[in-house]
Amino acid sequence: MICENQQELESYVAHARHWTQKGKVADYIPALAKANQAALAVSIYEPGKHCFSAGEVEHKFTLQSISKVLALAVALEDIGEEAVFEHIGMEPTGDPFNSIIKLETYKPSKPLNPMINAGALAVTSLIRGSNNHERLERLLHFIQDITNNSNVKVCEEVAQSEFDTSFLNRSMCYYMKQHNVISGDVEEILELYTKQCAVEVSCRDLARIGAVFAFDGKDPDTDRRIFPTNVARICKTFMVTCGMYNASGEFAIKVGIPAKSGVSGGIMCAVPGRIGIGIFSPALDEKGNSLAGMRLLEKMAKAYDLSMF
Ligand code: DON
C-alpha cells in the first residue's frame, strides 16, 4: 500500500501550499484566470483500495494539455502507430509548449511530438468521425470510460474562451495545412481541440486516468481492457520525455514517473504497475507547470519511493 496515512498526505499538502503564492494562474485563455490561486489538491488511486485525497479535492478544472495524451491514445487506436507518426515526430523539443519555431526549421516540416501544441493539433485532426460532433462524442466516451465517470463533460465557457483567443494555435494550424501536415478544416480542428482541452475533471478523475495508464490500459479494478498495451506504452513514453515540456528532464530526475501537466494546473501521473496520481494547483511556473503541484510530487516521490529510475 502506498499511502495508508491520511494525515501524512495532508502534511505534504500543507508543506507545499506556500508555493501556490509564488506561481501565476494562466490568463492567456481568459476563462482560466478565474481559478483560485491558493488551491492545492491531490488524489491517489490505488487499485482495490480507497482513493486517498487531500486539499481542495472538490475543485473541478479543465484537462487542457492533459487531454493531449488521451487524444493521442484515440488517434493511435483509430489509424495506427505508423500513420500517426507520418504526421508527428517522437522527439522532445526543449522549447515552450506553444512554440512555433521548429515547425519551420525542422525538415521535413512536422511537429516534433504530440505533447506540444502543434503536435497535439495535428493529432486531433486525425481522430476519426463523420463530423466534429461524432469525434467529440468518441473522445468524451473514451474519457468517461477511463475515469469511470459518465458525468465528465466539456466546460463550454472555457472552450469558447480558448476558441475566441487561439490566435497562435490557429496560425500553427494554417502553417501545418500549408505544408500538408494536416488536412481538413482548420476551424473545425480548433473547435474539437479547444473542446477536448476544456473537458472538466476532478483530481480523483485524473488519478483514475493515471491508474489506467499505470496498468497498461486496463481498468485497474476489474482488469477489463480499455485500450491496447502498446498505446499505453507509447503514451507513457511521451509523458516521460515531453509530458512536462521543457521541464521534463528535471522532472524525470526529481520525480521520475510518467506525468502530463496542463495550464489549468492539473498534473496526471502514472506510476507503472502501482498507482495513479491526480494533482490540481492552478498557480504555474514560467514553463506552464503547476508550481506547488510539482513540489508536492517531489515530496511524495521521495516519501513513497515512486521514481521508476
Ligand atoms: O492549447 C493551449 O494552449 C491550451 N489549450 C493547452 C496548453 C497547456 O495546457 C500547456 N500545459 N502546460
Side-chain angles (χ1 to χ4, degrees):
M1 173 108 75
I2 294 282
C3 170
E4 283 180 68
N5 189 333
Q6 176 74 32
Q7 267 179 344
E8 188 182 57
L9 190 61
E10 273 165 19
S11 77
Y12 297 152
V13 169
H15 180 83
R17 193 175 288 281
H18 74 279
W19 289 101
T20 60
Q21 295 313 312
K22 303 203 185 326
K24 197 174 171 304
V25 171
D27 58 4
Y28 76 98
I29 298 171
L32 294 185
K34 296 178 186 167
N36 174 3
Q37 163 113 21
L40 174 60
V42 57
S43 286
I44 300 178
Y45 197 101
E46 189 171 11
K49 306 272 175 8
H50 176 70
C51 181
F52 279 97
S53 298
E56 295 75 34
V57 277
E58 72 287 353
H59 275 287
K60 292 232 172 104
F61 52 93
T62 52
L63 284 173
Q64 297 304 328
S65 283
I66 298 167
S67 70
K68 292 170 178 171
V69 184
L70 303 164
L72 176 63
V74 172
L76 284 168
E77 274 208 83
D78 276 359
I79 66 168
E81 185 178 335
E82 206 175 316
V84 167
F85 296 117
E86 265 170 32
H87 298 83
I88 302 132
M90 300 181 190
E91 300 304 332
T93 67
D95 297 326
F97 65 85
N98 56 2
S99 176
I100 199 165
I101 191 162
K102 291 216 169 69
L103 275 184
E104 192 174 15
T105 57
Y106 188 74
K107 300 285 178 222
S109 181
K110 65 177 183 182
L112 262 89
N113 69 68
M115 300 293 119
I116 51 171
N117 282 7
L121 287 157
V123 167
T124 297
S125 79
L126 300 174
I127 291 174
R128 278 203 176 135
S130 50
N131 55 45
N132 250 7
H133 177 75
E134 196 180 307
R135 290 181 201 109
L136 180 64
E137 283 301 301
R138 291 189 58 241
L139 191 53
L140 205 52
H141 279 134
F142 182 69
I143 298 173
Q144 289 169 343
D145 198 11
I146 300 184
T147 54
N148 196 21
N149 180 358
S150 56
N151 293 322
V152 168
K153 60 176 179 23
V154 173
C155 172
E156 294 295 342
E157 186 201 349
V158 172
Q160 192 64 46
S161 176
E162 178 168 11
F163 185 81
D164 292 345
T165 54
S166 281
F167 308 115
L168 194 51
N169 283 346
R170 233 179 215 97
S171 63
M172 286 195 261
C173 276
Y174 281 109
Y175 188 93
M176 289 192 286
K177 179 144 176 156
Q178 176 72 41
H179 292 274
N180 299 316
V181 179
I182 59 173
S183 52
D185 183 78
V186 166
E187 295 304 313
E188 273 199 5
I189 294 166
L190 270 171
E191 187 203 6
L192 184 57
Y193 174 81
T194 49
K195 287 192 170 160
Q196 87 177 40
C197 288
V199 170
E200 202 169 44
V201 293
S202 67
C203 266
R204 196 193 152 90
D205 295 323
L206 270 197
R208 157 98 191 174
I209 298 172
V212 173
F213 279 100
F215 287 85
D216 296 329
K218 280 188 177 174
D219 183 318
D221 294 321
T222 64
D223 233 25
R224 178 177 62 91
R225 181 152 298 286
I226 301 177
F227 51 87
T229 309
N230 196 40
V231 168
R233 185 186 62 78
I234 293 171
C235 291
K236 277 188 285 189
T237 310
F238 279 121
M239 286 163 71
V240 169
T241 57
C242 321
M244 308 300 282
Y245 302 108
N246 40 339
S248 297
E250 187 181 341
F251 189 82
I253 300 270
K254 292 186 173 165
V255 182
I257 53 179
K260 184 73 204 84
S261 66
V263 281
S264 54
I267 307 177
M268 179 270 285
C269 310
V271 185
R274 292 172 74 188
I275 53 168
I277 304 174
I279 298 261
F280 172 61
S281 184
L284 308 178
D285 65 14
E286 70 289 349
K287 291 177 178 168
N289 296 317
S290 171
L291 186 52
M294 302 248 288
R295 299 294 166 152
L296 176 57
L297 277 170
E298 277 177 39
K299 183 83 188 162
M300 288 168 62
K302 283 201 182 76
Y304 305 140
D305 191 21
L306 298 181
S307 176
M308 57 189 271
F309 298 109

